[in-house]
Amino acid sequence: MKIINYDTVKFEEYKDNLKLIGSLSLLFSDSDDPWLDYRVPENLYCECFHAENLARSCVTADAKLGDIGIGIKTFTEGNRHTWQKIAEFNKARESYADLNGIDKIRKISELRNERIDSTIVTYGLSQMIYHCVIRNKNGFHFYEEVMDKINIDNIRVISESGSSIIFTDELHEYNFNISKSVLQKRFNTEDYYDDVNVEVATNPLEVLRNGIDSIVTITEKETAIIPLYSVKGGVKFVYPKSGLNQWNADGRPRSTDEVYIPFNKEIREKYIDFFPNRDTPFNVTLPNGKIMSMKLCQDEGKALMSNPNSELGEWLLREVLRLEENELLTYEKLEEIGIESVLFEKNQDGFYKLDFIKIGDETLEESSD
């Protein structure tokens, strides 16, 4: 099945690049069958089709092509009816751990749908699809299908055991692995739309030696990762009356969209001179392509705010995190959506870009202003 009408020249370039990487399989695998690391199609897809790479953002799309979100999957052909991982909900385990059977599946489905909706709104998408590169002994097949939300009203459990629950929404089959908190979907890939044969090189190092004509130096962008949460006593949380809940602070009346991104002392020291001086506006490109004016505010520049102040909250709380007015943001909500931090990029011209990223526990220790 094919959804996107790709430029023929670009698609042939994409196939040739995958063929080249596949020919080097013996560098990474003992098998004679072509092999691909899942990151390879993600990067080559973005390179060949000039798509925006979202893979590091831990959202439900790996790339953005125009207004279409692309989930890029790489897996072995098998019987062409294989289970593949599409989401993990370990961080949100508390929200469904005590539920059983159909109730557990409905909650998982709600979380899955919420992440799809959040990605669509965040990146200004009109639809989302899966683009699959399927490996077999001869090379790679290409298959696409719509990334449907789960129809919760039509859910029916097919089988249930202590380790997993298999269910359908009458459109697709899903398998929830309880112990791993992983949701799988069955991909029926018989109707693939193109393929490429791959000859695995017996001496891949020689191929590399002969193919290197020059070394290209890539200038990396400066980046800063800023958590949306705080930590005290090893526990992650969101302050109820400051930061992204600033609208709930005591004192003067405030807009329900009044928020700021905490920029605490440890993070400020890590990214000295990354942002302009306090109260100096700078423009930031959001994931949906819109431009937002921001600046450092408060004592020592410990708050990242938008101008006007409510613009950040209206976008982040209402559109991305999908909170109702007067609804407190909690760390549990960040876990459900799959967002923990924001990533700022700054290029050599001083232009900024914002994206989301999931980070490990080691990035933020104890919080202080």
Side-chain angles (χ1 to χ4, degrees):
M1 182 175 178
K2 182 179 182 181
I3 296 178
I4 297 179
N5 187 22
Y6 297 101
D7 177 273
T8 302
V9 174
K10 291 181 180 178
F11 197 79
E12 288 302 316
E13 177 188 354
Y14 177 56
K15 290 167 57 178
D16 286 343
N17 287 336
L18 287 171
K19 182 178 180 178
L20 174 61
I21 299 299
S23 72
L24 305 176
S25 295
L26 290 180
L27 283 175
F28 318 103
S29 171
D30 294 330
S31 173
D32 292 331
D33 295 345
W35 182 90
L36 279 179
D37 180 83
Y38 72 97
R39 291 293 188 192
V40 171
E42 292 175 355
N43 292 328
L44 289 182
Y45 187 97
C46 294
E47 175 69 22
C48 294
F49 301 118
H50 305 296
E52 182 179 354
N53 197 326
L54 307 180
R56 68 183 175 190
S57 303
C58 293
V59 293
T60 51
D62 299 300
K64 177 183 177 182
L65 184 60
D67 62 353
I68 301 176
I70 317 292
I72 301 174
K73 308 292 295 180
T74 304
F75 52 88
T76 303
E77 183 176 58
N79 64 359
R80 301 189 183 178
H81 300 276
T82 63
W83 293 112
Q84 300 299 327
K85 175 181 174 180
I86 59 171
E88 183 176 331
F89 300 100
N90 189 55
K91 292 278 189 175
R93 186 185 293 271
E94 290 186 5
S95 67
Y96 61 81
D98 295 332
L99 301 177
N100 295 310
I102 190 70
D103 291 331
K104 186 189 292 288
I105 290 307
R106 283 178 176 150
K107 181 60 179 179
I108 291 297
S109 300
E110 288 174 3
L111 294 174
R112 171 62 175 170
N113 291 350
E114 192 172 24
R115 290 186 181 181
I116 292 177
D117 285 337
S118 177
T119 300
I120 289 174
V121 171
T122 301
Y123 294 94
L125 306 176
S126 64
Q127 66 171 321
M128 296 181 63
I129 73 166
Y130 291 109
H131 172 84
C132 303
V133 180
I134 304 157
R135 298 184 284 115
N136 59 38
K137 63 180 181 180
N138 296 317
F140 309 130
H141 287 167
F142 301 94
Y143 169 85
E144 291 177 349
E145 67 174 60
V146 175
M147 188 185 297
D148 295 300
K149 292 195 295 184
I150 300 173
N151 190 329
I152 297 176
D153 293 335
N154 286 348
I155 286 178
R156 175 174 57 85
V157 173
I158 297 175
S159 64
E160 182 175 358
S161 67
S163 60
S164 68
I165 303 174
I166 297 176
F167 66 100
T168 180
D169 66 350
E170 307 304 333
L171 185 60
H172 302 290
E173 286 185 69
Y174 299 91
N175 183 3
F176 182 61
N177 185 304
I178 298 173
S179 61
K180 295 182 179 179
S181 300
V182 166
L183 180 65
Q184 297 177 309
K185 175 187 171 301
R186 189 185 295 279
F187 283 83
N188 300 312
T189 60
E190 290 184 345
D191 188 20
Y192 64 87
Y193 63 86
D194 206 340
D195 59 37
V196 59
N197 290 328
V198 176
E199 182 178 347
V200 177
T202 57
N203 191 341
L205 285 177
E206 189 64 27
V207 174
L208 288 176
R209 291 190 187 100
N210 292 335
I212 295 178
D213 297 320
S214 62
I215 297 176
V216 178
T217 300
I218 300 176
T219 302
E220 294 189 358
K221 300 174 181 178
E222 291 185 70
T223 60
I225 297 174
I226 304 177
L228 296 174
Y229 60 89
S230 300
V231 179
K232 291 290 185 184
V235 178
K236 297 179 180 180
F237 67 99
V238 179
Y239 279 105
K241 293 182 180 292
S242 63
L244 296 180
N245 288 315
Q246 173 72 5
W247 58 269
N248 192 46
D250 298 328
R252 61 173 174 80
R254 302 174 189 270
S255 164
T256 54
D257 292 326
E258 182 177 334
V259 301
Y260 64 86
I261 297 174
F263 194 39
N264 67 44
K265 182 178 180 181
E266 290 78 8
I267 302 298
R268 291 198 301 273
E269 291 177 349
K270 185 175 181 180
Y271 300 115
I272 294 175
D273 298 328
F274 182 84
F275 294 111
N277 293 332
R278 176 184 166 187
D279 293 327
T280 302
F282 56 95
N283 288 333
V284 178
T285 302
L286 304 180
N288 59 12
K290 294 181 179 179
I291 306 295
M292 180 180 292
S293 177
M294 300 187 73
K295 60 182 179 180
L296 293 178
C297 301
Q298 298 188 13
D299 294 341
E300 299 182 1
K302 66 180 182 181
L304 271 164
M305 291 184 174
S306 63
N307 182 25
N309 178 268
S310 60
E311 187 176 358
L312 178 60
E314 183 178 353
W315 172 69
L316 186 53
L317 298 186
R318 309 294 163 241
E319 296 185 22
V320 177
L321 297 173
R322 307 176 70 81
L323 296 176
E324 299 293 336
E325 289 192 359
N326 299 310
E327 180 182 355
L328 284 175
L329 174 65
T330 63
Y331 180 71
E332 288 70 28
K333 181 65 176 180
L334 294 177
E335 288 183 311
E336 288 184 5
I337 296 294
I339 291 172
E340 287 185 347
S341 306
V342 288
L343 170 71
F344 282 91
E345 283 187 353
K346 180 174 67 172
N347 66 20
Q348 291 180 321
D349 297 323
F351 293 109
Y352 293 84
K353 183 179 179 181
L354 181 150
D355 209 335
F356 296 102
I357 192 168
K358 181 177 284 292
I359 59 176
D361 296 346
E362 73 282 359
T363 302
L364 184 64
E365 298 299 331
E366 296 296 303
S367 301
S368 64
D369 292 335

